Structure formats: structure tokens, C-alpha cells
Amino acid sequence: MKKAMFHKFTNFIQQAVETFAPNISPQEEFVYHWKSVTSYFVDNKDGCVRIEETALPEHLDSMLRILQEEESELGEAGTTGMCMEYLLQHRLLETLYTLGRTDHPPGMKQCVLRFFTKLLSRISHPLLPHINVYRAVQRLVKACGETKAGPAEKEEIEFLCTVCAKIKTDPYLVNFFIESPSKSAKTPHRTVPAFSLLDALLALSTSQDARVSLKACEGMMLCASLPEQSAALALISQTKFCHSIAQTLTELYRKLPMQVNLDDIEMIEAKWGFNDINDRHDEKAFPGKRQVISFLSWLDYCDQLIAVANPDVGEALSREIHQQLLTGCFSSHLLQASESGSLMATVYITRCLRTVCSPALLKEFSYFLLGSDRGLESKDNPGHLINKRLLERCNHLSDELCLVTLKLYDTLLQKEDEHIFHCLLLRTLLGRSYLQLPSLPSQDTVSDSTQDENLEDKKNASKEEDKPDDLVGQTTSSDNAEIIANNEDRDSSQDHSRNIANNLPSEVHKVVNSFLTLLPDEIKSTIQTVDCSYDMYLRDASKQFAIQERVCKSWGWPKQPISELSFSMEKFHQGPFLQMLFDKLLHMLDQSYSVNLLLTSLISKVALVPHPNLHEYLLDPFLPVAEGTHTLYSVLIKVTNEIKHHQKTDSTFPQKLILARKQLFGLVPNIHSLRLAKCQTEVPCDGGGFEDQSRMEAIIVLEEFCKELSAITFVKHHAAVTKS
Amino acid sequence: MSYAYLFKYIIIGDTGVGKSCLLLQFTDKRFQPVHDLTIGVEFGARMITIDGKQIKLQIWDTAGQESFRSITRSYYRGAAGALLVYDITRRDTFNHLTTWLEDARQHSNSNMVIMLIGNKSDLEARREVKKEEGEAFAREHGLIFMETSAKTAANVEEAFINTAKEIYQKIQDGVFDINNEANGIKIGPQHSPASQSLNVGGSGGNQGGNCC
């Protein structure tokens, strides 16, 4: 009531000024309002009224209005009118800052903050470079975030973000906000720059008011993404920015529930700024979901921040996260002996990996999991401890632990990070030591560069043609001898090896068929439907390959196999990851259906990788390999032989196989649908139904997997041919 | 209040085209002639009814300023619908649509429904962009189109609700995977048939406050 009365009164005065003095100039009016503001403080030293009961807001608003009108009348950019000059000359902003600082009358601080915010955003003339502006602004910045949950939080964040937006538009302005105590002194070494804008934002980012903390996060993103090196340096070395951001993440990690349904973690989605954890109407709620969402949202924020940040800032923050979260927490959790503990840690790090996409942070994750070493792994070199332990877990007695660890590798191979592919797959293959022929190091060695490719192609091709034919046949390992015996014509296989580089289509059919005919017809559960499902595998492989090619495009991989001397081995070893995959493939018949599905999916992913060395090693059954070398094909042959043996000793084999197929493929057409179904709902088909069910299921998975591999091979060859 | 679905929207477009005013008109049914630049993101929410189902719209109003662009991008992810707004009295805001659209398509999920809005239709005298041009742009890029006025409230309800209808239809057709919350859609708690009495445009003003 009292307030309303007062408003009427001030409005009256206002109108009176306008009516009774029609010839008053804008400047006089401006000065009148300003004097009214200052005189209030002279006259009301001990008043205890709230700001709303005074005329101060109205006077300040009028001043803003006059300034705006003045600017729009001047029209020209770069000129300042009389009122603006008055504001600058008489240090109005500094006085206002002082008045706001005391928050007297209560609410004055908010009022001053609003004035600054509007002044900065409404006036298009660049004000911040003026010393009388930025000094006051900088002081006001320092006064923000001082009191936790203060009444002015909302105004503070609006003001800070307005300053951030101004700086983002003209990044050099940031230098006004990086303070050196003795800026004028000629000894820059003694100065310690401070970045109070960021400190204020950090303080507000912990606000309980979601809108305030969200905007503080946006402000920090703006500051972190400034191209100015001075800002990046100040932010890294003079603020707690990286430390605080990583610390928040670590604290949220520590609050994660350790007893949750694994599928819940996999299904959960959390994006920074978009989550509503206070939503009480959540159908899929589970205890601890709120904590999981908070953690993942903050991780997403970190990832987004790192992606847009100045590269120096992004790297510094990524390293800090590596140190605090990965080394500090995940390391011991992943390595612990407790099965349930390491299980949860594996699930969480897999989920984290799914969120992380910024190159800098992804690099730290891959360094943490796989090590930063890119050199050759030898058999007796223990390798990176975490990777080693994880690989062991893929053979763990607990199916669940084995599955989640395989999923972690599956996720790793979906990330766009060259280091992952190099460490897991390529470093043992780059020396091409798997080849049987005595390598011709001097000329055959091809450097990393792909520039002289055509030239090198021709060189390679002619080299291979020069090879004496019998050399290939003689020293083939026992496994491959069998392969070649399996495939009628020995001569053509040698032809093939000569023509690897040329990708002759006729040879492709042989390779494709060698996968398709791995299992003899009597062991196949479907002969009639082959055509239809094979089409689907082709379509899928071509889609997946296109994606994979796009991912790897920028990594400068060669088009033809290379032999890098630094990666050549005396005795070839495929590396621990491929070895794990081969070992598991070898034991398919004794593994659960879920493990086999995931395993074959992983191998397919590897097979799609467009690196020529990996391609020939993995997908060319006719490749003359060194003695004792295990290849994908040799492993598949072994498994097939085991099945053949099984089939011969069991008269009910065909019936059981058909039964298993009917149960698995009741309604779904191919292995992809099975993998999908497996992800979403637990299909109750892990053994136990009838005798040998699990084995029969493994055979069916193998049958489908062979089709898939042959489709992948075809698609890759086809792509190579159409490109050249 | 319980809902059957929750749709997340974002409003994008150049600075000054009236994004915040559209949101305010939709959530609070009022118009604010002087509106300061949106600094960072703002959000509002309102309940609507489609096909007898309560649907909660959670709307994120972004800053149009160029300096906020990199931040705006992170909001595209996880939105089911986007209102792309230009000002019919400012040709340049129309010219920038291609950039906005490319940005949105690149950073959002492919099923996101985009509604093109030519705002300030009350300022016919100052019109610089013909309605036909907006329609043609929308047709060419597969968007829904509408001209609105945040001041007179003309078509504002329709713009938000038609976008929701399109999303709802996509759910019915199985295009949107509602189990994947990354699509910007959430299934609400099992809502009782008794609460289905409200008409389209039902209860307004249930603004924000329940996020993050």
C-alpha cells in the first residue's frame, strides 16, 4: 500500500519535471536524476527503508532511458553524446559501485547490478574499453558470488554473463579483467594476474538455484573458449577453474550408487543443462538415479566445455580429470579384487566413455585405459596394468564381469580416437611380421605417408609378382595348409596372394566363399533362407563400413599394407587384445550365448576397420603367413573341426540344431536383431533348455557370424575397387 | 501435475526476433514490449493436451547472440522439437535461416521436428519477408511453417501445439524411440484416464523451476 502510494508520488514528480520544464535538455534531466540519486544518500544516512520504497530505481531507469534515446538520436556509431560523456567523466559507475557495495538501502546492490547489466547490453557503443567503465565493472565483478545463496544471485549472474558475452564478442577485452596488482609497474614478472570474473562464476556455479548455476556454467564456457592466450593462461594458472570443475566431477562420482541394475545405467541419458532430476514423475526411477544423472550431466558439461575451450584450457582440464577422477578414483575401483566392485566400476567407466567425445578428454580416457605408450608390445612386456587386468577379466569365470568388460572394449572401438585403434589392433600388425615371406626390408618398407601411394602400389604389386611361386606353398603353417587344402585350387590361392594389391573381383569371391563354406552344409541350420539374410548382412556391413571409414578418414592410414621397420617382430604375436578375441572365439562352444553374441559383434567391428594391414591379416584366408601365426581364419577352422567332430558323434545333432534355431530366430531375421534383443530384454536362452542347447546356440551364432564376416569382406573389397 | 509425455523444445534464431516473447506469450499469456537480451538460456514449461493425453512441454529459450552460439549447440542434443524463429520485418534474420538450420541438423538427433516461425506478423506495414518466401523455405527444407505474433498472440498456441502434434505423430508411427531419452521425449508416470478432461491448450502457466 505504502509502496503503491510512493510510486504514484514519484511518477507525479517525474511527470512534473517533464511538464513544467518542457525545454529542459536531456543532459539537464540526466544530471537531475543523478543528483537525485546522490542526494538520497546524503539525506538518508540511517534510513532503513527497502529500495522499492525509494525513488532510486526510477531515477536509474530514467538515466538509462535518456542514454538510450541519446544513442539512437546520434545514430552514428563511435560517438558519445553529452549524457554519456557526463557518465564517463564524472565516474558515475564507480560511485554507483560504491553505493551498491554497501547494499544500503537493502536491495541497492541488485539495483546497481541491473543498471550495469542494462547499460552494457542496451548501449551499443563499446563502453568496456573506457577506464571509468571497466574499473567499476571489474570491482562489481569481484563483489559477485561473495555470499552463498545471497539475495542478489540472479542479478549477479545476469551481470556476469553479460560481461562474458561482451568479452566473447571482443576477446581482447578480457585483458581488462585479468588483473595485475601493479599493472603500471614496469616489472611484469612480479605481478600475479588474477581472473576474478572466473572466480565469481565458479562461486555461482554451486548455487542451489538451478537457473543461476546453469548460467554460471555457460559463463565459464564463454570464458574458457576465449582465443586470447593471456586469458587461457590466467585461467589455468591463476584460478581454481580446472581443479574445481574436476573436483565437482569426482565428488559426484563418489556419490554414485554401487547397487544398481546394470541395464539401468546403460539406458540412462543425461545431457548437461537438459536434465530434470527433480522430476518426481519418473517412471523409470531407481534408487540412486538422481546421483547417476548428476554425475553424467556434469561429465557431459566437462566434455562440452573441453570441446569448445581454448585448446590449452581443454587439455589442462582433461589432465586434471585424468588425475582426479581416473587415477584418483577409477584406477583402484577397476583394479580391485572384489567382483561386484570392479563390475560396477567397469560399467561406470563404459558409460562415461559413451558420453565423452571431445578429443582432449577422450585422449585422457584412452591413455588411462590403454596407456600412452604407442611402441611395440612384446609378449613378455607386461603392458599397461589396467588394460592387462581388463583383458584378463574377459576370461573371468563370472559371465557378467566378462560381459561388461567386453562391452567396455566394444565401446572403446566406437570412439573416434586413433590411439585406441593403434594400441588395441595396429601396433603389432604395422611391421607386417605375420607375413611368411622373408621380408624385403630395404625396398618394401613403406613410410607412413600416403602421398606416394600410387607409386608404392605399383612397386608392391610388381614385387609380389616377382615372388617365386613355390615359396608360398612350402612354408605355410599347418593351419594354413589345411585352409588351402579346404579350398580346392592351390594355384589360384597363390595367384590371389600376388593380386592382393589389385583387389581382383574374382579373387574376392573366393575369399567371400571361404567364409561362407567354413561350416559344411550338414552343420548349417538354414540353407533355404541364406540368400535373404545374406542380403541383410551386406546392407548392414556397407552401412557400418561407411561409418567406420568416415571415422578413420583423418588418421592418414595407408591404402596398401605397409611394413614399418620399427614395428617389425622377430616372432609375430598378434597382441593381447586380438589374442583375447581369438582365444574366446576358440572356446565359443563352451561359452554362454550372450558372450558369443558380444564377442562376434566385437570381431565384426574390428573386421570393419579400414586399415590394410589389419584387413589382410584378419580377412584374407589365403595370406601366406609365418609359421605359428594364428589368424582369424585358422581359429575358425579349429572351431569348425570341433563342431564336425561333435556332429559325427551325436545322432540327434540335426534335430537339436533346428530346435535351437527356432528358439533363437523365432521372429528375428539375423544376428543383429539378436544382439539388439539381447541388449533390451534378457532373452531367456542361456542354456538349460535342452541338452547341448548352449552348444547348439554357439553353432548358430558361428554360422551367422561367418555370413557376416564374408559380407564385410565383400563390402570392403567392393569399396576398394570402386574407389580405385 | 502428471503427464503422459514430456517433450523438450528449444527456440532458436537471431537475436531480437522475439524468441523470449514467444515463450512468455505461450507460458504466461502476456507480452512484454521491452525485453532485454537473453543472456544464456532461459526455460519455461506448460502442459498441453493432444489426443486426450497430457503432454508437458519443457521449452528452452536460447540466446540469439553469436557469442553464445557454441553453447546453444549443446542444447540441440536432447531436444525433440525446435522452433526456428525469424523476424518478418528484418530480411537478414530470414537470410540467416540456412546457417541456423545447418547448425540444428548437425547437432540434433535426426528426428527432431523443426517448426519455422515468421514472427511479428502484427507489423504488416514493416514487412520485409513475404509469407510465401517463408512457406517456400519451409517446403524446401521439410519444415512446418507458421507466421505468429508474440504481441497479439496470433498463432502462438498453434505453433507450439502443432510442433507437439508432429512429435506425437512420430511417436505413434514409431519413428521416435521413446525409450531413448536422448531424443528429448520422456514417458510420464502412468496417468489416470480421469485426468484427461482438459482441452488442447489446457492449463497454462506451470513455469519452470523443476529442472536441473
Side-chain angles (χ1 to χ4, degrees), chain A residues 378-523:
Chain A
S378 62
K379 217 173 177 178
D380 21 66
N381 172 6
H384 186 65
L385 180 63
I386 291 182
N387 186 34
K388 191 170 165 265
R389 189 67 56 84
L390 288 171
L391 285 170
E392 286 163 13
R393 294 233 178 93
C394 293
N395 283 313
H396 201 274
L397 277 176
S398 150
D399 230 30
E400 206 174 21
L401 189 53
C402 163
L403 274 172
V404 297
T405 316
L406 283 173
K407 262 184 206 153
L408 172 57
Y409 283 105
D410 193 63
T411 309
L412 270 171
L413 289 176
Q414 290 175 49
K415 302 313 287 187
E416 299 190 17
D417 180 49
E418 187 268 343
H419 186 70
I420 295 172
F421 289 82
H422 178 87
C423 285
L424 287 180
L425 304 170
L426 297 180
R427 56 177 156 185
T428 51
L429 303 179
L430 285 175
R432 226 182 170 191
S433 311
Y434 46 84
L435 278 189
Q436 167 267 322
L437 45 146
S439 57
L440 307 155
S442 53
Q443 293 130 309
D444 215 20
T445 306
V446 181
S447 67
D448 250 320
S449 82
T450 50
Q451 284 180 332
D452 301 332
E453 225 152 65
N454 287 336
L455 200 79
E456 298 287 1
D457 288 356
K458 278 177 204 141
K459 227 200 275 178
N460 278 355
S462 61
K463 263 292 113 59
E464 300 207 28
E465 255 153 25
D466 291 338
K467 260 182 336 211
D469 272 6
D470 49 63
L471 203 93
V472 180
Q474 275 169 8
T475 32
T476 317
S477 69
S478 60
D479 283 337
N480 275 41
E482 194 171 352
I483 296 162
I484 289 164
N486 265 356
N487 295 279
E488 324 95 73
D489 45 352
R490 210 177 144 131
D491 291 336
S492 72
S493 74
Q494 288 164 8
D495 285 346
H496 172 80
S497 69
R498 277 190 233 134
N499 290 322
I500 292 170
N502 298 341
N503 291 315
L504 285 186
S506 63
E507 297 304 327
V508 173
H509 287 130
K510 285 208 175 69
V511 178
V512 165
N513 275 327
S514 66
F515 281 114
L516 281 178
T517 54
L518 250 173
L519 281 171
D521 282 354
E522 57 271 26
I523 297 177

Side-chain angles (χ1 to χ4, degrees), chain A residues 211-410:
Chain A
R211 287 174 197 239
V212 172
S213 61
L214 185 66
K215 287 192 174 184
C217 287
E218 293 191 336
M220 291 194 288
M221 258 175 149
L222 290 179
C223 286
S225 62
L226 293 172
E228 299 283 292
Q229 277 312 106
S230 57
L233 200 70
L235 189 144
I236 296 166
S237 52
Q238 299 307 329
T239 69
K240 287 182 178 160
F241 176 73
C242 294
H243 183 81
S244 306
I245 301 274
Q247 193 176 28
T248 306
L249 187 65
T250 312
E251 278 161 11
L252 290 170
Y253 172 77
R254 294 213 173 92
K255 289 181 191 147
L256 287 176
M258 284 298 148
Q259 304 278 325
V260 253
N261 187 348
L262 303 185
D263 291 341
D264 281 341
I265 304 293
E266 230 165 286
M267 295 298 285
I268 210 163
E269 281 297 335
K271 294 266 185 277
W272 165 69
F274 249 142
N275 63 77
D276 30 9
I277 41 182
N278 293 333
D279 191 355
R280 279 158 301 199
H281 308 299
D282 194 347
E283 270 249 293
K284 293 183 219 149
F286 56 85
K289 182 172 186 178
R290 195 194 152 101
Q291 283 75 11
V292 179
I293 288 184
S294 300
F295 170 71
L296 289 175
S297 311
W298 192 252
L299 179 68
D300 183 53
Y301 172 64
C302 296
D303 190 53
Q304 293 286 312
L305 181 66
I306 291 164
V308 299
N310 177 304
D312 288 349
V313 175
E315 279 164 29
L317 178 56
S318 301
R319 278 196 302 273
E320 189 70 34
I321 291 175
H322 187 155
Q323 200 190 334
Q324 285 196 40
L325 176 72
L326 300 178
T327 312
C329 302
F330 263 118
S331 181
S332 59
H333 291 178
L334 279 172
L335 292 171
Q336 68 185 303
S338 150
E339 200 180 300
S340 61
S342 53
L343 185 86
M344 278 321 296
T346 312
V347 169
Y348 279 130
I349 196 136
T350 307
R351 186 60 192 77
C352 286
L353 259 178
R354 252 179 60 200
T355 292
V356 173
C357 289
S358 62
L361 189 55
L362 191 54
K363 190 178 89 182
E364 296 300 330
F365 267 80
S366 72
Y367 280 4
F368 169 69
L369 289 168
L370 308 174
S372 55
D373 186 19
R374 290 173 65 85
L376 193 58
E377 276 181 332
S378 62
K379 217 173 177 178
D380 21 66
N381 172 6
H384 186 65
L385 180 63
I386 291 182
N387 186 34
K388 191 170 165 265
R389 189 67 56 84
L390 288 171
L391 285 170
E392 286 163 13
R393 294 233 178 93
C394 293
N395 283 313
H396 201 274
L397 277 176
S398 150
D399 230 30
E400 206 174 21
L401 189 53
C402 163
L403 274 172
V404 297
T405 316
L406 283 173
K407 262 184 206 153
L408 172 57
Y409 283 105
D410 193 63

Side-chain angles (χ1 to χ4, degrees), chain A residues 100-250:
Chain A
R101 190 79 185 81
T102 56
D103 203 22
H104 164 83
M108 186 60 191
K109 186 178 180 187
Q110 278 147 290
C111 195
V112 168
L113 282 163
R114 268 195 297 267
F115 181 84
F116 272 68
T117 306
K118 285 178 182 163
L119 183 74
L120 288 176
S121 64
R122 288 185 188 172
I123 301 295
S124 44
H125 178 76
L127 287 176
L128 272 176
H130 289 276
I131 185 161
N132 290 340
V133 177
Y134 77 70
R135 223 159 40 191
V137 168
Q138 167 76 338
R139 284 187 182 157
L140 196 56
V141 163
K142 277 201 214 163
C144 292
E146 276 182 330
T147 36
K148 227 177 152 82
E153 266 193 339
K154 203 175 152 283
E155 285 78 14
E156 284 177 1
I157 197 64
E158 288 285 337
F159 166 68
L160 291 175
C161 283
T162 304
V163 175
C164 289
K166 284 276 159 197
I167 294 176
K168 180 78 181 172
T169 320
D170 290 310
Y172 78 94
L173 289 174
V174 76
N175 294 306
F176 297 130
F177 294 91
I178 300 165
E179 262 183 302
S180 347
S182 53
K183 204 170 186 180
S184 50
K186 287 185 179 88
T187 47
H189 294 291
R190 280 195 303 180
T191 62
V192 180
F195 198 174
S196 31
L197 177 59
L198 208 99
D199 289 327
L201 287 168
L202 263 176
L204 285 173
S205 71
T206 58
S207 165
Q208 290 301 304
D209 183 336
R211 287 174 197 239
V212 172
S213 61
L214 185 66
K215 287 192 174 184
C217 287
E218 293 191 336
M220 291 194 288
M221 258 175 149
L222 290 179
C223 286
S225 62
L226 293 172
E228 299 283 292
Q229 277 312 106
S230 57
L233 200 70
L235 189 144
I236 296 166
S237 52
Q238 299 307 329
T239 69
K240 287 182 178 160
F241 176 73
C242 294
H243 183 81
S244 306
I245 301 274
Q247 193 176 28
T248 306
L249 187 65
T250 312

